[in-house]
Amino acid sequence: MTPSPQPPVSFAPSVAAAPGRMPASQPDRGSSWEDAAASSGPLLYLSDFRNYDVYIYTVPALKMVGKITGFFQPQGECSDNNGNVWIANTGAQQILEFRPGSKRPVAMLDDSTGYPVGCAVDLRNGDLAVTNLFDLYGPGGVLVFKNARGTPRPYLNSNQFYYYFAGYDGHGNLYTDGLTKDNAFTLSLLRSGAPNMSTVTVRGATLHFPGTIMRSGSSLVIGDQECGGSKTSCLYEAAISGRTAAVTKTIELRGSCDVAQTALANGRLFGGNYCPHGTSGTDRWAFPAGGKPLASVPGARDPIGAAIVTR
């Protein structure tokens, strides 16, 4: 494989996480498993970059009911209308699909252009958008697989170099966050049917490092892994008007160290919290109140991706 570009000194570009989060990987050599409690109800899928695993938890109790092994640096996740989950298998340049209860992927999409770290499903038509943090020969971009199959169509924003997480709104517009080549936060928009991406101006807050992208009602939720430039994370709710995102609320995730991707279910927020000098794990917060976690369970060593699957 062609060697990747040299990483910037501030962070390792193969990880969709804030600077300094590059522990040595320790792949899990064990077997995948899933117990009977995972047969119904909403479930949280959480990727562990360091252990090469994806854990399955009940929602909202956060009881671990399964584990899928055999990944190579799994990161961002997304789910579809059929209860399936897509997982960016970054180190292998793949995007893998799992059905409820499946311990092996039921579909695999190759990414020959770069390193996938995030994804989003357009729930109107099943299209799958995949974000490449960076490509083999330069800046990353977005690949859109029609109906989540076949050969993807690439999209770029010339103002953006690194691409992190993504989310669709109810009209088929795709938002993705990232960084410029000089490591400045960028938010991009691919309007439904448009040939190119454009830059969205964020007003009312200064974002430092890209985090989750998702919708909550009519608002766009944007995560910052380094809230206020500090070693903690938060989310911002923003109202979208044209190419402007006006921040209307800050959602503090108190006590967090580094929360990369989050997922919503029934007024609750779920995600992994990576603490290099403390206890990492899987947390649940009230939403949109935020604050301290309502529940926290250990187990995940380097959690990044999160998705809710409804069965």
Side-chain angles (χ1 to χ4, degrees):
M1 183 176 67
T2 303
S4 61
Q6 291 297 312
V9 294
S10 61
F11 70 101
S14 60
V15 185
R21 181 172 169 164
M22 192 59 179
S25 297
Q26 298 176 352
D28 183 354
R29 306 297 183 185
S31 300
S32 299
W33 63 272
E34 187 171 321
D35 67 24
S39 62
S40 63
L43 297 170
L44 170 68
Y45 281 65
L46 189 89
S47 65
D48 189 326
F49 179 87
R50 184 195 290 201
N51 283 354
Y52 294 9
D53 289 336
V54 170
Y55 308 122
I56 306 172
Y57 299 91
T58 60
V59 170
L62 291 181
K63 176 186 176 183
M64 185 183 290
V65 292
K67 178 176 72 173
I68 308 173
T69 65
F71 295 92
F72 184 15
Q73 300 174 333
Q75 298 200 62
E77 305 175 359
C78 54
S79 57
D80 62 20
N81 283 326
N82 299 317
N84 299 337
V85 61
W86 288 91
I87 299 168
N89 196 25
T90 306
Q93 295 181 251
Q94 302 166 334
I95 308 92
L96 306 177
E97 181 184 23
F98 290 83
R99 286 180 184 153
S102 64
K103 299 173 186 176
R104 297 178 181 231
V106 297
M108 179 181 71
L109 300 174
D110 288 321
D111 184 348
S112 61
T113 63
Y115 295 90
V117 296
C119 65
V121 176
D122 186 346
L123 298 181
R124 304 173 314 146
N125 56 22
D127 288 355
L128 175 70
V130 176
T131 54
N132 273 352
L133 184 54
F134 68 104
D135 282 356
L136 298 177
Y137 301 102
V142 176
L143 304 177
V144 177
F145 294 83
K146 186 174 180 59
N147 299 317
R149 294 293 187 269
T151 302
R153 180 172 179 178
Y155 295 90
L156 297 170
N157 177 358
S158 60
N159 295 323
Q160 188 167 334
F161 195 93
Y162 301 103
Y163 293 72
Y164 284 73
F165 298 102
Y168 279 100
D169 66 15
H171 304 288
N173 301 313
L174 178 70
Y175 296 86
T176 179
D177 58 6
L179 298 170
T180 66
K181 197 169 185 179
D182 296 326
N183 296 339
F185 179 89
T186 308
L187 180 64
S188 294
L189 166 64
L190 176 63
R191 291 193 181 278
S192 179
N196 297 299
M197 305 184 77
S198 56
T199 300
V200 177
T201 300
V202 179
R203 302 192 185 281
T206 300
L207 283 87
H208 294 265
F209 203 90
T212 197
I213 293 284
M214 60 186 182
R215 296 291 297 189
S216 174
S218 61
S219 297
L220 182 69
V221 179
I222 312 168
D224 188 347
Q225 295 185 57
E226 292 188 339
C227 189
S230 64
K231 296 299 181 181
T232 189
S233 300
C234 65
L235 306 176
Y236 296 100
E237 282 193 346
I240 301 296
S241 177
R243 296 181 183 176
T244 299
V247 172
T248 59
K249 180 179 178 63
T250 301
I251 302 171
E252 298 181 4
L253 303 179
R254 295 178 188 168
S256 66
C257 301
D258 187 355
V259 179
Q261 187 181 25
T262 57
L264 279 174
N266 301 323
R268 300 176 179 92
L269 184 74
F270 300 86
N273 181 27
Y274 171 72
C275 289
H277 305 295
T279 301
S280 301
T282 306
D283 292 358
R284 182 184 82 233
W285 297 268
F287 185 87
K292 293 183 179 180
L294 301 177
S296 182
V297 296
R301 302 182 66 186
D302 191 3
I304 291 184
I308 298 292
V309 170
T310 302
R311 300 187 177 186

